[in-house]
Amino acid sequence: MAVRPIILAPDPMLKTRARPVRAVDDGVRGLMDDMVETMRANNGIGLAAPQLGVLDRVVVVECAPRGTGSQPLRMANPELVAVSPERVVSEEGCLSLPGHVGEVERARAVTVRYIDETGTKRSLDAEGLEAICVQHELDHLDGILFVDHLSPLRRNMILKKMVKARRERARTGAA
Ligand code: NI
C-alpha cells in the first residue's frame, strides 16, 4: 500500500467522467488499498479514484470512527439504485479542495449497488453521514465536485482561492 498524491481543484481530471472497471483484479485491489491509505493519511472519510488521477469508477468510504473495528468500504462501479425523497443539508469538504467547506443538500438515505474487493456484487443501505459521503464520492466519478452544488458566486470564490494557492506554491517552490 502507498499514499499517493491527491489532485487538487481546479484540474480537468476532476471534471472528467470515470469509466467502469471491467473486473476487480489485483490492479483494482491495489488501487483500492492505496486509496484507503491515502484517505487515512489525510484524515478523510472518502476518496474517489479520479482524485488520484485514475479515471476508474472506484471509491472508498470510511465514516465510522477508526478503532471501532469497522472496515472501510471499497466499491467498484458503484451505482445509486434508490434515493430517499427526504433531503438534508450538511457541511462538506473535499481532499481536492483542502481548507474549503460548503453547505450541500443531498438525499438523506441512499441504496448503493457495487462490486467489492473480492468481486462480489453488494448492496448497501446508507443514511446520515455515510449516505452523504457515498453521494459525494459517486459525484466525483461523474466529474462533479461539492462546489458544483453551491451558488456560482460561492463556487468561483473557492476556485479562485485554489488557483491563488497553487500560484503561491509554485512561487515558493513548495510541492
Ligand atoms: Ni471529494
Side-chain angles (χ1 to χ4, degrees), residues 6-62:
I6 294 177
I7 291 183
L8 302 180
D11 188 294
M13 190 80 79
L14 297 174
K15 302 305 295 173
T16 306
R17 205 179 142 83
R19 47 186 185 242
V21 299
R22 292 174 68 180
V24 177
D25 54 16
D26 286 345
V28 171
R29 271 187 287 276
L31 171 65
M32 289 168 160
D33 288 345
D34 285 358
M35 288 170 66
V36 167
E37 192 161 328
T38 304
M39 170 182 69
R40 288 178 166 177
N42 290 278
N43 296 312
I45 58 172
L47 194 69
Q51 293 178 276
L52 299 186
V54 179
L55 291 174
D56 286 340
R57 299 187 80 80
V58 175
V59 305
V60 296
V61 168
E62 185 172 47

Side-chain angles (χ1 to χ4, degrees), residues 8 92-102 146 154 158 161-162:
L8 302 180
E92 293 186 20
C94 180
L95 294 178
S96 291
L97 292 136
H100 298 284
V101 292
F146 84 82
R154 178 102 179 103
I158 291 175
K161 282 185 184 162
M162 290 295 300

Side-chain angles (χ1 to χ4, degrees):
M1 296 219 284
V3 174
R4 300 197 204 176
I6 294 177
I7 291 183
L8 302 180
D11 188 294
M13 190 80 79
L14 297 174
K15 302 305 295 173
T16 306
R17 205 179 142 83
R19 47 186 185 242
V21 299
R22 292 174 68 180
V24 177
D25 54 16
D26 286 345
V28 171
R29 271 187 287 276
L31 171 65
M32 289 168 160
D33 288 345
D34 285 358
M35 288 170 66
V36 167
E37 192 161 328
T38 304
M39 170 182 69
R40 288 178 166 177
N42 290 278
N43 296 312
I45 58 172
L47 194 69
Q51 293 178 276
L52 299 186
V54 179
L55 291 174
D56 286 340
R57 299 187 80 80
V58 175
V59 305
V60 296
V61 168
E62 185 172 47
C63 289
R66 301 271 293 283
T68 54
S70 78
Q71 283 298 310
L73 292 163
R74 294 165 162 87
M75 305 184 178
N77 300 345
E79 260 180 283
L80 291 184
V81 292
V83 297
S84 69
E86 223 182 310
R87 315 272 296 172
V88 287
V89 175
S90 64
E91 192 170 79
E92 293 186 20
C94 180
L95 294 178
S96 291
L97 292 136
H100 298 284
V101 292
E103 303 257 294
V104 179
E105 184 187 306
R106 299 194 186 270
R108 192 192 61 79
V110 297
T111 303
V112 58
R113 214 181 271 158
Y114 64 97
I115 306 170
D116 74 8
E117 65 275 21
T118 69
T120 307
K121 285 183 184 167
R122 293 192 178 274
S123 174
L124 169 80
D125 295 316
E127 56 176 29
L129 180 61
E130 191 171 56
I132 288 159
C133 190
V134 163
Q135 291 171 83
H136 176 116
E137 301 312 331
L138 265 64
D139 265 0
H140 273 297
L141 303 181
D142 293 325
I144 299 166
L145 301 174
F146 84 82
V147 288
D148 294 315
H149 294 284
L150 308 179
S151 72
L153 189 74
R154 178 102 179 103
R155 172 167 62 248
N156 290 333
M157 199 179 78
I158 291 175
L159 291 175
K160 265 187 203 155
K161 282 185 184 162
M162 290 295 300
V163 171
K164 200 178 156 198
R166 173 179 298 166
R167 256 191 242 124
E168 197 67 12
R169 279 195 309 276
R171 196 178 63 74
T172 59

